[in-house]
């Protein structure tokens, strides 16, 4: 059974989402609060609260061998997770172990991801 729960005037679902204690799940036809909840969840994620907290151990585990990737054409370099890397042609990619290596090789930091 699904229900919207209140404690006095407090809507429990929004409280859980705002504090990062849960991830929203929408099951039609119960879509009344979908937009509000999604908005709250996005904000909570951006603020790394609760279950969205930055997990350093996980980040290190997922960190690739070369954390910086340069573009031979633009002579800019990026964090491996920058959106620009996804659009880069494989043949234009240059891999760096550190930002110092990239700068020494004449690459300039991306203005978007600020490596
Ligand atoms: Zn970038």
């Amino acid at each position: 059974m699904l229900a919207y729960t209140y404690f006095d005037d407090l809507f429990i679902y929004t409280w859980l989402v705002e504090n990062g204690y849960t991830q929203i799940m929408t099951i039609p036809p119960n879509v009344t609060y979908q937009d509000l909840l999604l908005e709250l969840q996005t904000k909570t994620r951006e603020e790394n609260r609760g279950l969205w907290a930055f997990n350093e151990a996980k980040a290190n585990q997922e960190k690739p061998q070369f954390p910086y990737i340069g573009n031979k054409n633009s002579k800019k370099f990026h964090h491996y997770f920058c959106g620009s890397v996804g659009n880069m042609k494989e043949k234009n990619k240059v891999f760096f172990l550190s930002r110092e290596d990239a700068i020494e090789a004449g690459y300039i930091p991306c203005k978007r991801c600020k490596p």
Side-chain angles (χ1 to χ4, degrees):
M1 188 178 85
L2 296 172
Y4 288 127
T5 315
Y6 292 85
F7 180 77
D8 286 335
D9 289 336
L10 180 70
F11 184 19
I12 301 295
Y13 201 173
T14 57
W15 182 82
L16 289 170
V17 171
E18 276 184 305
N19 288 286
Y21 295 134
T22 191
Q23 195 169 353
I24 64 169
M25 186 174 76
T26 307
I27 301 174
N30 302 6
V31 297
T32 313
Y33 299 106
Q34 188 176 15
D35 292 346
L36 169 69
L37 290 162
L38 189 61
E39 197 178 299
L40 289 173
Q41 179 171 284
T42 302
K43 192 167 176 279
T44 307
R45 287 184 71 158
E46 283 169 4
E47 292 170 3
N48 300 315
R49 277 188 275 137
L51 61 90
W52 310 110
F54 177 70
N55 185 329
E56 197 173 355
K58 193 164 171 260
N60 281 333
Q61 210 174 39
E62 288 170 358
K63 200 170 170 182
Q65 190 182 356
F66 297 101
Y68 301 97
I69 297 164
N71 183 323
K72 278 182 198 165
N73 279 343
S74 68
K75 284 283 176 183
K76 284 180 187 162
F77 74 100
H78 309 264
H79 280 294
Y80 67 92
F81 50 77
C82 178
S84 302
V85 173
N87 301 327
M88 217 184 280
K89 287 193 179 115
E90 282 304 316
K91 65 178 175 82
N92 291 333
K93 288 183 183 174
V94 192
F95 298 89
F96 300 105
L97 279 170
S98 69
R99 69 185 305 276
E100 288 73 27
D101 287 352
I103 290 165
E104 273 174 33
Y107 285 78
I108 55 167
C110 164
K111 285 197 175 83
R112 248 169 64 190
C113 66
K114 300 183 173 70

